Structure formats: C-alpha cells, structure tokens
Amino acid sequence: MSLRSKALGVVLGAGAAGVTLALAFGVGCGGRAVQGGTVKLSPVESQALRAPTAFASISDKKERSRALFLEASRVMLHPRCVNCHPAGDSPTQGDAFQLHDPPVVRGPEDQGVPGLECTSCHQEKNAELARVPGAPKWHLAPKVMAWQGRTPQSLCEQLKDPARNGGKSLAEIVEHSAHDELVGWGWKPGADRVPAPGTQAEFGALVAAWVKDGAECPREESRP
C-alpha cells in the first residue's frame, strides 16, 4: 500500500486496527457503549467496506441503521466523491482537495461555462494517457448538494432532504448509489488515484440496509 493510501486510511479512520464502532455513549479508545455493551466489528483495511451482515450483532434497529450509515459515509466523504460535491463554485481534485487545475467554475447548470464545459475535457471514460478522468454525464453536484466539510450526521440529514438531494426519494437514493455510472467512477478513477473503499455494489448494499432499518442519522460526534 502506498504512503498516500495509508495516510488516507488514517484520515478516514478505517484502518485494520479499527475494530470498534463509535455509536452512542462515552468516547474512548475501545469504542462507545451501546445499551450497556460494546459493539465490536471485524477489522477492515482502509480500501475495504464492511458488509451489512457485519452489523447484525447490533440488536437495536436504530443503532444498526446509524452504524450502517457511518460505514457508507466512508465512501461519500472520500475525496473521489467530495471533489465533485464542493462547497464553492469550483471542483477540487486529488486527495488533498486542491482547486481544479486548470481553473474552472461550475456555471449556471453545474456543467461549466460556455466554451469551457466539463465535457470539453471529461469524456465518457478515463483518458489514460492524458490522465483526465471521465464518466457519462460528467458534471458537478449542485451547490445545495455540497458534501465538503460535512460530518456524517449532517451529510445524512442532507441526503434525506429532497430539497438538498436532487429531489430523490430514499428508494431513488439506493438506486442512484448502486447503479449510477458517474457514482461508479469513484471505484475506477484511473491513473494513480486512490479509489473509494469497497465496490459500488457493496456501497449500494450498505445504503439499502440503512434505509431498510429506518434511515437513521448518526449522532453529531460519531465518526466511522
């Protein structure tokens, strides 16, 4: 694993040593208690995702839903996703969220400005020699859908709000997560970019399980 991958794993808090899940009461190195017990999960590498079955030991449905979202948030708050969900008018790039080079702006339709639209450079697949990423319908998420700087809780609340999620129902969010081609680029970014953890199918399964268990949002202090 490269030094950059290791550093990214530390930032996302998902290294092999992360065997406990922060959920409810009392912060500590060994995790947080959940209704009198500590939920322990199997170790996972920074580039892997836990399956929904890994959370079956959490008997409280609401707590299980919160835990599932925390795991899914490791994808949504990964640079491959956040770079296209910026808080400002320009996309970011790389693992450190540098401003897009060359300079570009989102434009009125989140697809760039006339003469310098996103698809002027970004085609329907990666241009490997030029190192330009690509996927169908390449564009920025609307500013109201910005994920940059979000906590898992605030991201969850935003994702459930049709006014801030593109007008989607929870069922449509599941479908979008599991099958959208632009979302899928996060796992096949090309060049030397670090992909999002797991696979799109695994991510979609986590989102579906989160919705099935009530689409509960983590507490503000919770982190994956």
Side-chain angles (χ1 to χ4, degrees), residues 36-115:
T38 299
V39 176
K40 291 191 175 182
L41 301 173
S42 300
V44 64
E45 295 293 337
S46 62
Q47 288 304 113
L49 280 177
R50 295 180 177 92
T53 53
F55 302 87
S57 62
I58 306 175
S59 58
D60 185 285
K61 188 176 180 180
K62 289 184 177 181
E63 294 297 347
R64 186 168 63 247
S65 183
R66 292 180 180 117
L68 286 161
F69 188 86
L70 280 178
E71 186 71 3
S73 75
R74 293 179 48 222
V75 171
M76 290 180 272
L77 295 176
H78 189 280
R80 297 294 77 75
C81 295
V82 174
N83 281 336
C84 289
H85 285 257
D89 286 324
S90 296
T92 53
Q93 60 188 43
D95 293 338
F97 309 108
Q98 303 103 317
L99 281 178
H100 191 286
D101 184 22
V104 294
V105 293
R106 66 169 63 248
E109 302 295 331
D110 305 305
Q111 299 177 17
V113 295

